[in-house]
């Protein structure tokens, strides 16, 4: 069976590659051992590409310790790294590697984004690992639910038309619900569940603001300003978005906005700040070497903003993040400063920056992933603008220690009957819009 089923296309391959990375982000919330076993090939593909992405920008890595640490951060043990992950990444032309006389990894040369974008390379790695027909059905289920809300019957029919058996389609669909990557809402009119996932807003089929403006006033007024602010000012803090807090929670749950939270307890008192973003727009994401399905731009922006907003006054803070990131881009590094050696572990663990320590205890912050910082600077300018009179101090009293991803954020939000009714009505209206598109009543369609 072909990886993309019947009638595969480059666009579908990109969406399936991205679906693997969506599942990779969802994986920490999948606690069932049975489910994890049934989707093990997809999880391994996601881990392999997460590992490769962390190394992107280094070119050639000769530190066995760094290689091992990047692998561990992606959940890959030593035995799996040398026996399976590195060979399959080499087969897919994502990396090359060498080993010493004992078989331990000696060096890695990464070609991430060279032989294709990260999502294209993810699809190739998946092909080399040979997913089961049920796993392939799961990916198609995620891809279809990302493209349009459909009734369960229509959703399953779409999977089957791709050359997948009824049995495998049903199992893949069940796995999509078991992993919570796909969701369902019940339609009283149809007397059937409608299937979607939180990434449905990013396909580019609709302009979200235009779509929301055409909804009935109750739904429109509650959601429109929230989504417009998240789009116009990426990285706005949750408490500045305004509006009904329960409506905002519901919008986060269904993916109309994405929320990422930075946490720190360095000052002895737990501190946290939640930032909101627009959904990933897949058409723009397809043009990037990396993919925001991995949330690196969100991580970068939230990290820098946290240093400005949550560092203690009088103890040092990032006064002007635009100046700081501009300098990082222009010169490739900032510093030296003592706190650089302690405050940027999150960004360093994802390979966005590298800390270069000096003998006197101070350190330089070196930029590794220029694309992430460049896009992050654009987001910063939209979010905070240019702050006159600021400085580029790097000192942060409250060190970011944990980043809560949008997937984890969604999984922890409690149900709220009234506000969830509004987003449910919005999803059901989106289903109707897609149905009109299928009948060529609007200029978009799958």
């Amino acid at each position: 069976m072909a990886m993309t089923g019947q009638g595969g296309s480059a666009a579908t391959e990109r969406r399936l590659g991205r679906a693997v990375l969506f599942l990779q982000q969802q994986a920490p919330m999948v606690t069932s051992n049975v489910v994890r076993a049934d989707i093990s090939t997809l999880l391994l593909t996601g881990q392999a590409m997460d590992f490769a992405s962390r190394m992107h920008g280094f070119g050639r890595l000769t530190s066995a310790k760094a290689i091992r640490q990047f692998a561990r951060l992606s959940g890959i043990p030593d035995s799996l790294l040398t026996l399976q992950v590195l060979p399959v990444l080499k087969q897919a032309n994502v990396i090359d590697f060498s080993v010493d006389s004992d078989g331990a990894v000696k060096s890695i040369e990464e070609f991430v984004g060279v032989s294709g974008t990260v999502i294209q390379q993810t699809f190739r790695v998946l092909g080399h690992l040979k997913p089961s027909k049920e796993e392939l059905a799961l990916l198609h289920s995620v891809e279809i639910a990302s493209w349009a809300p459909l009734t369960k019957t229509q959703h399953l029919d779409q999977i089957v038309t791709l050359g997948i058996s009824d049995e495998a389609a049903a199992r893949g669909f069940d796995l999509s619900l078991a992993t919570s990557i796909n969701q369902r809402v019940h339609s009283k009119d149809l007397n059937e569940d409608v299937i979607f996932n939180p990434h449905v807003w990013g396909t580019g089929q609709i302009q979200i603001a235009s779509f929301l403006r055409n909804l009935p006033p109750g739904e429109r007024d509650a959601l429109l300003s929230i989504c417009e602010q998240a789009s116009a000012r990426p990285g706005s803090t949750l408490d500045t978005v305004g509006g009904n807090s329960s409506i905002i929670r519901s919008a986060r749950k269904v993916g109309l906005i994405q929320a990422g939270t930075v946490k720190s307890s360095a000052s002895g008192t737990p501190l946290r700040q939640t930032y909101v973003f627009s959904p990933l727009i897949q058409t723009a994401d397809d043009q990037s070497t990396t993919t925001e399905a991995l949330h690196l731009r969100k991580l970068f922006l939230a990290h820098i903003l946290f240093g400005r907003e949550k560092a203690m006054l009088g103890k040092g803070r990032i006064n002007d993040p635009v100046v700081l990131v501009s300098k990082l881009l222009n010169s490739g590094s900032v510093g030296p400063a003592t706190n650089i050696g302690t405050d940027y572990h999150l960004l360093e663990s994802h390979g966005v920056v590298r800390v270069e320590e000096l003998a006197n205890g101070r350190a330089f912050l070196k930029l590794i992933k220029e694309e992430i910082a460049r896009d992050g600077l654009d987001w910063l300018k939209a979010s905070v603008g240019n702050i006159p009179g600021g400085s580029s101090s790097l000192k942060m009293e409250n060190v970011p220690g944990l980043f809560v991803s949008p997937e984890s954020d969604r999984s922890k939000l409690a149900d709220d009957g009234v506000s969830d009714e509004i987003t449910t009505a919005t999803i059901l209206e989106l289903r109707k819009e897609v149905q009109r598109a299928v009948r060529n009543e609007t200029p978009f369609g799958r």
Side-chain angles (χ1 to χ4, degrees):
M1 177 171 54
M3 276 279 293
T4 53
Q6 298 174 357
S9 68
T12 300
E13 290 178 3
R14 286 194 297 270
R15 291 198 295 267
L16 289 175
R18 191 181 286 106
V20 172
L21 299 178
F22 286 158
L23 188 60
Q24 162 71 8
Q25 298 300 311
Q26 191 71 27
M29 278 67 74
V30 180
T31 57
S32 167
N33 287 335
V34 173
V35 172
R36 294 187 70 88
D38 286 349
I39 62 173
S40 58
T41 303
L42 304 183
L43 295 180
L44 181 59
T45 304
Q47 288 175 312
M49 285 308 301
D50 181 80
F51 167 64
S53 174
R54 290 174 191 266
M55 294 186 295
H56 175 49
F58 284 91
R60 183 177 179 82
L61 267 174
T62 57
S63 167
K65 182 178 179 181
I67 292 168
R68 180 173 179 268
Q69 183 66 3
F70 278 139
R72 291 176 65 230
L73 289 166
S74 298
I76 302 170
D78 288 351
S79 58
L80 200 60
L81 178 67
T82 54
L83 293 177
Q84 193 166 16
V85 172
L86 292 181
V88 79
L89 286 174
K90 182 174 181 176
Q91 284 180 307
N93 199 27
V94 178
I95 65 156
D96 196 5
F97 70 99
S98 62
V99 297
D100 60 22
S101 57
D102 295 325
V105 183
K106 186 167 63 175
S107 68
I108 290 180
E109 187 171 1
E110 56 88 10
F111 312 125
V112 178
V114 176
S115 60
T117 65
V118 168
I119 53 178
Q120 290 169 328
Q121 291 177 327
T122 300
F123 183 81
R124 289 208 299 270
V125 170
L126 179 67
H128 284 290
L129 286 173
K130 302 186 185 308
S132 69
K133 56 185 183 295
E134 291 82 9
E135 288 177 307
L136 189 55
L138 165 58
L139 280 190
H140 280 297
S141 181
V142 172
E143 187 259 333
I144 290 166
S146 297
W147 194 253
L150 298 173
T151 65
K152 178 181 176 181
T153 300
Q154 292 170 327
H155 184 94
L156 288 169
D157 286 345
Q158 286 289 311
I159 301 174
V160 171
T161 60
L162 295 168
I164 295 172
S165 69
D166 289 343
E167 183 179 2
R171 179 58 181 160
F173 169 74
D174 288 343
L175 286 169
S176 79
L177 296 179
T179 58
S180 297
I181 192 167
N182 280 355
Q183 300 179 20
R184 53 187 168 185
V185 295
H186 189 73
S187 168
K188 293 180 180 178
D189 292 341
L190 300 170
N191 194 29
E192 192 173 0
D193 287 339
V194 171
I195 310 303
F196 75 102
N197 72 42
H199 304 287
V200 70
W201 310 102
T203 61
Q205 291 193 84
I206 62 166
Q207 296 295 318
I208 295 175
S210 298
F211 170 73
L212 292 176
R213 285 191 188 99
N214 292 325
L215 292 177
E219 291 87 356
R220 178 193 66 205
D221 295 342
L223 296 171
L224 181 57
S225 64
I226 297 170
C227 294
E228 286 185 328
Q229 182 166 340
S231 177
R233 298 187 59 190
S236 295
T237 59
L238 189 61
D239 56 3
T240 64
V241 171
N244 186 301
S245 60
S246 63
I247 297 295
I248 295 173
R249 282 196 301 272
S250 190
R252 288 155 65 187
K253 281 175 60 179
V254 300
L256 265 167
I257 58 173
Q258 295 187 339
T261 300
V262 175
K263 294 183 178 181
S264 169
S265 58
S267 64
T269 302
L271 291 171
R272 57 188 294 150
Q273 186 72 285
T274 298
Y275 303 93
V276 296
F277 304 87
S278 284
L280 180 153
I281 303 301
Q282 295 183 21
T283 50
D285 195 55
D286 285 342
Q287 308 307 313
S288 299
T289 299
T290 55
T291 169
E292 193 48 24
L294 296 174
H295 305 310
L296 295 184
R297 291 161 181 82
K298 299 181 190 71
L299 177 67
F300 180 82
L301 183 64
H303 201 98
I304 298 299
L305 288 176
F306 187 85
R308 173 176 173 254
E309 295 158 2
K310 288 299 183 182
M312 292 181 181
L313 283 172
K315 297 289 188 178
R317 63 165 53 184
I318 298 175
N319 291 323
D320 190 335
V322 173
V323 169
L324 188 151
V325 177
S326 295
K327 184 177 180 181
L328 188 61
L329 276 164
N330 291 334
S331 64
S333 69
V334 290
T338 302
N339 61 292
I340 288 177
T342 60
D343 293 359
Y344 294 87
H345 296 315
L346 277 175
L347 288 179
E348 194 172 19
S349 71
H350 285 83
V352 177
V353 297
R354 178 172 58 86
V355 173
E356 187 175 283
E357 295 184 357
L358 305 177
N360 62 5
R362 306 181 83 193
F364 282 93
L365 192 68
K366 302 283 188 178
L367 180 60
I368 301 299
K369 291 180 172 50
E370 182 179 334
E371 184 181 42
I372 301 302
R374 192 168 301 282
D375 291 345
L377 179 60
D378 290 340
W379 285 11
L380 272 171
K381 289 177 177 177
S383 180
V384 302
N386 290 288
I387 305 172
S391 71
S392 57
S393 169
L394 275 171
K395 190 169 180 60
M396 283 193 285
E397 183 72 14
N398 298 303
V399 180
L402 178 67
F403 180 71
V404 180
S405 71
E407 289 81 9
S408 180
D409 177 69
R410 285 194 291 266
S411 73
K412 295 174 182 176
L413 295 173
D415 292 336
D416 185 293
V418 175
S419 58
D420 288 353
E421 283 182 13
I422 293 177
T423 49
T424 294
T426 303
I427 291 159
L428 295 178
E429 186 60 33
L430 180 62
R431 186 198 68 83
K432 295 178 184 177
E433 190 78 359
V434 172
Q435 295 295 309
R436 286 192 287 269
V438 171
R439 297 194 297 268
N440 295 319
E441 294 178 16
T442 58
F444 58 81
R446 186 170 187 275

